[in-house]
């Protein structure tokens, strides 16, 4: 094992990088703080006056004291549905929490946001929660407090494969897989949404605040003329004493959460995957240095080894094919004691056909070949993979095409797609085009995928995309007989660039659950360790089939 990295020269350039990073981080923290308030302080106070706890307070009460709740999708819905007043965190809080020291997926409706109604992105978020539960065989807890589907957008959430009905289909599949599902009805639970808690293994309901029915009192009156109030129609007494639909009647939220903790505390422990782990050692260098390594100017190179040296145990990397395919770093390391396989882009200065120098985390044929073989090795050795993305894509041009870049790129994509060990992805810088795919983007099923505030995610860089889009727009306008002056072209380019830059922002990706969240780089090590421990709860790692990787 070789020690990588070194002490940094904390010069003016370093200070500028730190200053730039802290500005980014501060702006994201401001958004996060606002999102965590759900529907706002007034809505939270109204909620509490009804005798109910705020969704985030419920989660805090449920998990082990002093433990960290690893939230997924905090920024989901950010900037979306503005015409309806927005949907902070998609009206749902979800993540992984420790209950009696066991990892549990927790999903809580936030009734301060449109009464906990489901927007289309809310459905995607709930499906992600179930996906994490199924992949890792984790128990799941639903804290239900929802008015059901947001009716103005019902056509975008109701009938399709990845829509609302998929939630209940997953309930059934998870039950057959032996995954414990516990539901607490802590507010309204209406119409199709009523199936979610009732298809769980155990359901409880809070007296006077919880209710569950296929149709509320207003709809019942409209449909069959019966006059009845919601409590008599589907309250706790009805379902615990008459229908028998729910299993436990709880007097308040606190008692309900204590009951869930009690049930989880008695769950048996199944066998786990035998991922290798030894005593952890800290990196040799400070993680706060990560703020100064990434250059303020995205066109400048930096050394990915310096980043890895602040994440892996002892800053030690057993590198694979060190002298070959140098735009991708591959090697074996440990993170918090866990054995991992590292696949990381190296942003470097390269020559173009014109003899100019440019910077990019470009994947060449040799790099793709090396990464494909390393991924295969990690699968054979049962070693989880960790990807660090800063990639502009695969190399282009006649030399690359004649050298077989498409074939070598396909081998790498094949290796990632067929990989059976848990994969974890961190977007450090650029994440463009097919490079996103080859480096295990969301489409390739990483168990967790997070971006740093410095990430940019798109089909190509902003400058290239904007100029391409401008050229297409101008050609179309000129075909229609319209002449475009240079000043008009400049104005049009600025408009296109502004829109494209907004879509490059990691907040844009996070709002649509393309990534699970935006994290402080110093949290990376903790999240890798937490993710592998979580993944180890599923002992069923299929046999690796390399497909056409070796051709």
């Amino acid at each position: 094992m070789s020690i990588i990295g070194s002490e940094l020269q904390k010069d003016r350039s370093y200070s500028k990088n730190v200053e730039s990073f802290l500005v980014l981080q501060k702006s994201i923290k401001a958004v996060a703080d606002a999102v965590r308030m759900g529907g706002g302080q007034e809505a939270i106070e109204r909620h509490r006056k009804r005798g109910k706890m705020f969704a985030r307070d419920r989660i805090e009460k449920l998990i082990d004291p002093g433990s960290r709740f690893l939230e997924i999708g905090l920024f989901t819905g950010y900037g979306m549905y503005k015409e309806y007043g927005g949907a902070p965190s998609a009206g749902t809080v979800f993540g992984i929490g420790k209950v009696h020291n066991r990892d549990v997926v927790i999903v809580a409706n936030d009734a301060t946001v449109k009464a906990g109604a489901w927007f289309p992105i809310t459905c995607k978020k709930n499906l992600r929660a179930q996906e994490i539960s199924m992949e890792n065989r984790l128990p799941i807890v639903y804290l239900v407090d929802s008015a059901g589907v947001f009716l103005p957008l019902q056509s975008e959430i109701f009938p399709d494969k990845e829509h609302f009905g998929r939630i209940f289909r997953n309930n059934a599949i998870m039950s057959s897989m032996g995954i414990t599902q516990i539901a607490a009805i802590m507010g309204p639970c209406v119409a199709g949404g009523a199936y979610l808690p009732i298809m769980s293994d155990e359901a409880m309901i809070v007296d006077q605040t919880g209710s569950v029915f296929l149709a509320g009192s207003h709809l019942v009156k409209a449909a069959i003329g019966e006059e009845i109030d919601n409590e008599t129609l589907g309250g706790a007494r009805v379902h615990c004493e008459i229908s028998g639909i729910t299993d436990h009647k709880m007097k308040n939220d606190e008692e309900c959460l204590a009951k869930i903790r009690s049930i989880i505390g008695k769950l048996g422990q199944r066998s786990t995957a035998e991922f290798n782990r030894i005593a952890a050692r800290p990196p040799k260098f400070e993680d706060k240095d990560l703020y100064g390594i990434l250059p303020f100017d995205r066109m400048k190179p930096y050394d990915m080894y310096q980043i890895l040296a602040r994440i892996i145990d002892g800053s030690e990397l057993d590198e694979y094919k060190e002298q070959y395919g140098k735009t991708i770093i591959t090697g074996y390391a440990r993170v918090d004691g866990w054995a991992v396989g590292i696949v990381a882009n190296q942003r470097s200065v390269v020559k173009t056909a014109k003899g100019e120098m440019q910077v990019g985390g470009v994947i060449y044929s040799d790099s793709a070949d090396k990464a494909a073989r390393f991924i295969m090795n990690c699968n054979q050795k049962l070693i989880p993979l960790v990807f660090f993305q800063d990639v502009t894509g695969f190399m282009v041009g006649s030399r690359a095409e004649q050298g077989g870049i498409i074939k070598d790129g396909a081998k790498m994509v094949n290796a990632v797609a067929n990989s059976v060990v848990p994969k974890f992805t961190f977007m450090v810088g650029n994440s463009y085009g097919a490079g996103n795919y080859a480096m295990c983007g969301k489409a390739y099923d990483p168990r967790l995928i997070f971006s740093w505030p410095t990430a940019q995610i798109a089909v190509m860089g902003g400058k290239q995309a904007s100029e391409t889009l401008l050229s297409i727009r101008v050609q179309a306008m000129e075909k229609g007989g319209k002449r475009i002056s240079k000043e008009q072209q400049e104005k049009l380019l600025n408009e296109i660039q502004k829109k494209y830059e907004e879509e490059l922002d990691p907040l844009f990706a996070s709002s649509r659950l393309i990534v699970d969240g935006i994290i402080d780089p110093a949290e990376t090590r903790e999240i890798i360790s937490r993710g592998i421990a979580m993944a180890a709860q599923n002992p069923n790692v299929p046999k690796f089939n390399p497909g056409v990787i070796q051709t």
Side-chain angles (χ1 to χ4, degrees):
M1 299 282 278
S2 300
I3 295 176
I4 59 171
S6 61
E7 293 292 347
L8 298 175
Q9 185 180 355
K10 297 184 179 178
D11 54 13
R12 185 178 177 184
S13 176
Y14 175 91
S15 299
K16 188 175 181 181
N17 291 343
V18 172
E19 182 183 350
S20 169
F21 178 85
L22 292 178
V23 168
L24 268 177
Q25 193 174 48
K26 184 178 179 181
S27 67
I28 289 171
K29 183 180 183 302
V31 174
D33 290 344
V35 167
R36 288 191 183 99
M37 292 301 292
Q41 191 61 50
E42 287 186 15
I44 292 172
E45 291 307 320
R46 285 197 301 271
H47 186 76
R48 286 172 176 157
K49 284 177 181 176
R50 298 185 186 111
K52 297 157 76 172
M53 296 172 70
F54 182 43
R56 293 182 179 277
D57 295 336
R58 287 169 174 166
I59 292 171
E60 197 63 31
K61 189 78 173 177
L62 177 60
I63 64 176
D64 294 344
S67 65
R68 182 189 174 187
F69 178 64
L70 178 58
E71 185 164 357
I72 307 293
L74 170 64
F75 299 106
T76 310
Y78 175 74
M80 301 172 69
Y81 312 117
K82 291 178 181 177
E83 65 273 36
Y84 301 108
S89 224
T92 298
V93 184
F94 120 71
I96 298 98
K98 292 280 187 185
V99 181
H100 289 290
N101 204 36
R102 180 193 291 265
D103 280 322
V104 176
V105 176
I106 302 168
V107 187
N109 299 123
D110 182 357
T112 70
V113 179
K114 297 287 188 296
W118 286 52
F119 288 79
I121 197 69
T122 313
C123 189
K124 185 175 182 180
K125 189 170 184 177
N126 277 264
L127 287 170
R128 177 67 176 137
Q130 291 181 322
E131 179 182 47
I132 288 175
S133 174
M134 287 188 282
E135 282 182 334
N136 302 290
R137 300 298 192 273
L138 300 182
I140 187 167
V141 173
Y142 307 99
L143 305 180
V144 185
D145 192 349
S146 172
V149 168
F150 186 64
L151 288 177
L153 297 173
Q154 63 85 26
S155 65
E156 298 176 40
I157 190 173
F158 169 63
D160 210 344
K161 181 178 179 180
E162 302 300 328
H163 285 180
F164 201 50
R166 190 77 173 182
I167 304 287
F168 317 132
R169 176 264 187 193
N170 285 351
N171 286 141
I173 296 297
M174 292 162 77
S175 181
S176 72
M177 293 168 69
I179 295 171
T180 299
Q181 300 177 82
I182 300 170
I185 302 164
M186 310 178 89
C189 187
V190 186
Y195 287 102
L196 186 147
I198 307 312
M199 292 185 74
S200 297
D201 301 302
E202 204 153 354
M204 54 206 69
I205 184 168
V206 178
D207 196 19
Q208 300 303 311
T209 57
S211 58
V212 55
F213 32 64
L214 292 180
S217 56
H218 295 295
L219 184 54
V220 166
K221 183 177 180 181
I224 63 173
E226 181 183 1
E227 294 211 19
I228 190 169
D229 62 82
N230 283 340
E231 185 63 28
T232 309
L233 182 65
R237 190 188 71 82
V238 171
H239 288 310
C240 286
E241 300 176 22
I242 301 173
S243 73
I245 284 174
T246 51
D247 306 306
H248 311 280
K249 183 167 75 170
M250 303 287 104
K251 65 181 180 183
N252 54 37
D253 284 7
E254 288 86 350
E255 185 181 77
C256 185
L257 296 167
K259 184 71 170 179
I260 296 171
R261 283 187 57 82
S262 177
I263 293 169
I264 292 173
K266 297 176 179 65
L267 296 180
Q269 184 68 54
R270 292 188 169 88
S271 60
T272 58
E274 296 298 324
F275 302 127
N276 186 280
R277 192 182 196 187
I278 62 174
R281 290 183 298 144
K284 286 189 172 292
F285 309 102
E286 288 288 326
D287 57 12
K288 299 298 181 185
D289 287 347
L290 293 168
Y291 306 157
I293 294 172
L294 285 165
F296 171 74
D297 183 351
R298 300 184 78 87
M299 291 306 293
K300 288 186 177 179
Y302 67 92
D303 190 356
M304 179 61 81
Y305 288 102
Q306 294 284 24
I307 284 180
L308 298 178
R310 285 149 180 86
I311 294 171
I312 60 180
D313 286 14
S315 303
E316 293 179 354
L317 181 69
D318 189 0
E319 196 161 355
Y320 175 79
K321 290 185 182 287
E322 181 180 356
Q323 303 302 320
Y324 179 71
K326 291 186 177 182
T327 62
I328 288 184
I329 299 166
T330 53
Y332 306 101
R334 290 190 183 275
V335 175
D336 197 31
W338 294 104
V340 297
I342 301 286
V343 182
N345 301 115
Q346 177 73 303
R347 192 196 290 184
S348 55
V349 178
V350 296
K351 290 183 179 181
T352 69
K354 296 179 181 179
E356 299 168 338
M357 306 292 279
Q358 68 177 20
V359 174
V362 182
I363 303 175
Y364 289 83
S365 283
D366 54 358
S367 303
D369 175 70
K370 175 173 85 168
R373 294 176 186 278
F374 178 71
I375 290 165
M376 180 174 65
N377 286 350
C378 287
N379 274 270
Q380 289 173 336
K381 294 177 172 71
L382 202 63
I383 299 174
L385 286 157
V386 183
F387 293 81
F388 291 92
Q389 288 196 8
D390 190 351
V391 57
T392 52
F394 288 92
M395 191 59 190
V396 297
S398 60
R399 185 176 175 182
E401 298 293 357
Q402 291 166 16
I405 186 65
I406 294 175
K407 183 178 181 182
D408 289 318
K411 284 158 63 176
M412 184 176 175
V413 171
N414 189 306
V416 176
N418 282 309
S419 179
V420 295
V421 295
K423 304 185 293 284
F424 304 90
T425 301
F426 297 89
M427 295 176 174
V428 172
N430 302 320
S431 178
Y432 297 157
N436 169 286
Y437 301 159
M439 291 296 294
C440 198
K442 184 67 179 291
Y444 290 79
D445 298 323
R447 295 292 177 98
L448 294 172
I449 177 169
F450 286 94
S451 78
W452 291 7
T454 46
Q456 288 192 347
I457 305 154
V459 72
M460 65 177 73
K463 185 176 184 296
Q464 303 95 310
S466 300
E467 290 176 356
T468 303
L469 289 167
L470 175 66
S471 177
I472 294 168
R473 189 87 63 87
V474 168
Q475 284 178 22
M477 293 170 81
E478 288 181 345
K479 278 183 181 178
K482 191 173 181 180
R483 298 292 299 169
I484 307 297
S485 68
K486 283 191 175 181
E487 291 77 14
Q488 288 173 316
Q489 285 190 35
E490 189 68 30
K491 183 182 177 184
L492 198 54
L493 178 62
N494 290 336
E495 290 173 0
I496 292 169
Q497 205 154 8
K498 183 182 177 184
K499 182 178 184 297
Y500 200 86
E501 290 291 335
E502 288 173 357
E503 294 178 1
L504 284 170
D505 193 311
L507 275 170
F508 185 89
S510 192
S511 71
R512 289 151 180 81
L513 268 180
I514 295 165
V515 295
D516 290 324
I518 305 169
I519 61 165
D520 183 331
E523 297 177 298
T524 305
R525 181 176 160 85
E526 177 193 351
I527 289 172
I528 294 170
S529 177
R530 185 81 179 268
I532 297 174
M534 178 179 79
Q537 299 308 303
N538 181 1
N540 304 315
V541 181
K543 185 178 179 182
F544 178 63
N545 184 345
V548 297
I549 292 171
Q550 298 181 54
T551 62

